[in-house]
Amino acid sequence: MANKKKITENIDDLSLEISNELNIQQQIDLEQAMIELEKISEQLEDPNIKLNDAIELFKKGAELAKICHKELTEAEIKIKEIKADLSEIEFRKEN
């Protein structure tokens, strides 16, 4: 019973922490989102987790996954832009 209470408290703490970050429209960086996803993953692996708690955690994990995807997509675009700039410099140097 104490284990279930601890899990519920951890979920509540994590939920509050994530909600606060998302609700104040602060951009969570990729590293923070990945750390939070890892915490959620660990909690979801607990066989004693209640279904409603698991659903809530899964929902928060999905939001964090969206943030990760957005951050990675933006990073990929920046890298492509940098490579294009370098290619342009190399092309000019050769001519």
Side-chain angles (χ1 to χ4, degrees):
M1 192 61 131
N3 192 22
K4 286 183 183 180
K5 185 176 180 182
K6 182 179 176 185
I7 292 169
T8 303
E9 289 172 358
N10 287 342
I11 291 169
D12 290 343
D13 290 345
L14 182 59
S15 296
L16 181 60
E17 182 180 324
I18 292 170
S19 294
N20 287 342
E21 298 250 354
L22 295 176
N23 288 338
I24 61 174
Q25 302 287 326
Q26 236 180 6
Q27 183 71 17
I28 295 177
D29 66 16
L30 178 64
E31 290 77 14
Q32 284 177 301
M34 301 231 359
I35 289 168
E36 294 302 320
L37 276 171
E38 182 64 32
K39 289 177 185 177
I40 288 172
S41 176
E42 289 172 4
Q43 289 182 331
L44 287 172
E45 290 175 359
D46 188 319
N48 297 318
I49 192 168
K50 292 180 182 177
L51 179 60
N52 287 337
D53 293 339
I55 291 169
E56 194 62 34
L57 282 172
F58 187 83
K59 220 187 302 187
K60 293 191 184 327
E63 289 300 316
L64 290 167
K66 287 180 193 176
I67 291 169
C68 290
H69 182 267
K70 179 180 177 262
E71 290 288 322
L72 289 171
T73 301
E74 289 174 3
E76 183 178 21
I77 290 168
K78 288 177 186 175
I79 290 169
K80 286 180 181 179
E81 289 172 354
I82 292 167
K83 286 176 132 182
D85 288 346
L86 289 175
S87 294
E88 182 67 25
I89 291 170
E90 290 296 318
F91 178 75
R92 287 184 197 165
K93 192 191 290 186
E94 290 175 4
N95 289 329

